[in-house]
Amino acid sequence: MTEQLERLNRLPLRDDLRGLTPYGAPQLDVPILLNVNENTHGLPASVREAITLSVERAVAGLNRYPDREFTELRDRLAAYLGHGLSAENIWAGNGSNEVLQQILQAFGGPGRTAMSFPPTYSMYPLLASGTGTRYVTGRRSDDFGLTAESAAEQVRAQAPNIVFLCTPNNPTGTALSLDVVEAVYEAGAASQAIVIVDEAYGEFFHAGTPSALELLPGRERLIVSRTMSKAFALAGARIGYMAAAPEVTDALRLVRLPYHLSAITQATANAALEHADALLANVEDIKVQRDRIVTELQDLGLKPAPSDANFVFFGGMENPRAVWEGLLEAGVLVRDVGIPGHLRVTAGTEPETSAFLARLRDLLAAGIR
């Protein structure tokens, strides 16, 4: 037991938090960071200028509390999402993780259960434990897929109060068809399950892949979660949001902290949304690099999963840790997600992608795989 853990265990920590590991990926100082699914393109100069001006205006009023209802931001987010949504359907927080936490605070807690289908976003069990919500897991097929029939059967058997459906799924990048969402929603009727469709990477869907936003009308237990960290390149600003029935946003008002979205956060998000076209132009470049990675990994004899996200999950390696270390030696950091035989790489810029593929090709040629 480490000294740090010994000190922690001397505190009167909740029993269900003992032994848990905080969420996080390695933060190493290397030239090419492709491990946490960031948008590596950065902000266009015009957007940086717009955000700077917006924040400067907000600074003049920092002696006052911000708009508690972040009205302008909700209006802008509703307009951006479309699908007939209005501000009453929108909620936002400091990153989508805070939004998910608020959902669990409102609909989870002691005596209630949250369910997801791993491998999936590793924050779900941590959010559950942090809110005293029991966490249970379902099963995916061997290729990490999830069918409507299987998902519905498992939800009926577990009768959870909350279900997480991540699409595109992290870490596999695979998208769910809407029939899975519909089947889970119907299967959760008996337990009145809140169904959260986490579309953090939704802007990277292949053309023709539908969003669960289409399913919101008439489904008061359905929530679609999004973020501005990925497609909008605002990971450092911490802005997440969701769309749902107005009564769901009312429920989250019961658990939010006062004035939880700062004036600076709101100013940043509003300026970014005003220039959404400029920011989303990079999304198409990222999708090109993502598809390039999939194609070239297949050519190298590896097994990439079909990706609708800004990253690629790939297998076919006997020693992925050696591959990870070999890439790191060349200044390329990818993610070891702890799944045997697999790694995950963010689709970066064209030079970053080329550097990753070149180094990987050299490693495989040297017999490291």
Side-chain angles (χ1 to χ4, degrees):
M1 184 181 296
T2 66
E3 181 181 349
Q4 182 181 13
L5 185 57
E6 288 177 350
R7 292 199 305 269
L8 177 62
N9 282 336
R10 286 198 293 267
L11 293 174
L13 190 67
R14 280 170 29 196
D15 288 341
D16 60 334
L17 294 181
R18 292 188 182 278
L20 294 184
T21 302
Y23 174 83
Q27 292 182 307
L28 304 176
D29 186 15
V30 298
I32 301 176
L33 297 170
L34 302 176
N35 66 322
V36 289
N37 302 339
E38 295 162 321
N39 185 332
T40 68
H41 285 68
L43 296 173
S46 61
V47 181
R48 291 201 304 270
E49 181 180 353
I51 290 175
T52 299
L53 292 174
S54 182
V55 168
E56 185 176 1
R57 289 193 294 269
V59 166
L62 286 184
N63 59 311
R64 303 293 186 182
Y65 285 117
D67 176 7
R68 183 176 57 198
E69 290 298 309
F70 43 98
T71 308
E72 180 183 353
L73 177 56
R74 287 164 57 225
D75 282 335
R76 287 187 181 275
L77 286 169
Y80 167 68
L81 291 178
H83 293 276
L85 297 168
S86 68
E88 287 69 32
N89 299 109
I90 304 298
W91 189 253
N94 294 285
S96 59
N97 287 322
E98 183 179 51
V99 174
L100 297 177
Q101 182 182 59
Q102 290 172 340
I103 295 169
L104 284 163
Q105 288 174 320
F107 299 105
R112 297 194 175 192
T113 301
M115 178 180 185
S116 71
F117 298 86
T120 191
Y121 185 34
S122 58
M123 269 302 298
Y124 298 152
L126 296 178
L127 290 167
S129 66
T131 56
T133 308
R134 189 170 73 97
Y135 180 72
V136 298
T137 59
R139 305 176 310 280
R140 291 177 179 267
S141 60
D142 291 342
D143 65 355
F144 306 112
L146 188 63
T147 66
E149 295 76 14
S150 174
E153 179 183 354
Q154 294 181 70
V155 168
R156 282 191 292 267
Q158 296 278 12
N161 303 100
I162 297 169
V163 181
F164 291 101
L165 296 174
C166 190
T167 179
N169 185 47
N170 182 7
T172 63
T174 48
L176 292 175
S177 60
L178 293 190
D179 66 333
V180 176
V181 179
E182 292 178 289
V184 166
Y185 188 87
E186 294 304 319
S191 58
Q192 285 294 285
I194 295 290
V195 178
I196 305 167
V197 182
D198 184 351
E199 291 187 350
Y201 302 92
E203 284 89 352
F204 300 98
F205 279 138
H206 283 284
T209 302
S211 166
L213 292 167
E214 297 180 10
L215 301 179
L216 283 174
R219 293 182 173 89
E220 72 280 355
R221 293 182 287 107
L222 181 63
I223 298 172
V224 180
S225 172
R226 290 284 188 101
T227 183
M228 296 184 75
S229 293
K230 311 300 182 183
F232 279 84
L234 291 176
R238 312 307 304 130
I239 305 159
Y241 59 102
M242 61 156 228
E247 53 266 39
V248 173
T249 64
D250 285 340
L252 299 196
R253 287 181 173 87
L254 301 175
V255 298
R256 62 134 176 236
L257 294 175
Y259 307 102
H260 71 290
L261 275 184
S262 75
I264 301 301
T265 300
Q266 293 182 45
T268 299
N270 283 324
L273 286 163
E274 191 173 5
H275 295 80
D277 289 346
L279 285 166
L280 296 180
N282 284 331
V283 168
E284 295 307 313
D285 291 337
I286 294 168
K287 290 164 71 173
V288 167
Q289 297 307 316
R290 172 201 64 199
D291 295 343
R292 174 190 172 199
I293 292 171
V294 170
T295 298
E296 296 202 25
L297 291 183
Q298 289 172 334
D299 292 343
L300 290 171
L302 298 176
K303 299 177 181 178
S307 177
D308 273 86
N310 71 332
F311 57 85
V312 178
F313 175 75
F314 61 101
M317 294 164 288
E318 296 178 1
N319 192 348
R321 189 66 186 181
V323 175
W324 183 89
E325 290 173 350
L327 289 166
L328 183 60
E329 288 175 2
V332 180
L333 181 61
V334 301
R335 186 73 175 266
D336 183 348
V337 294
I339 298 174
H342 290 77
L343 294 171
R344 190 193 70 195
V345 59
T346 304
T349 62
E350 190 280 332
E352 289 171 333
T353 300
S354 294
F356 159 71
L357 289 169
R359 177 57 174 169
L360 181 59
R361 193 175 296 111
D362 290 343
L363 291 170
L364 296 177
I368 300 173
R369 60 179 307 143

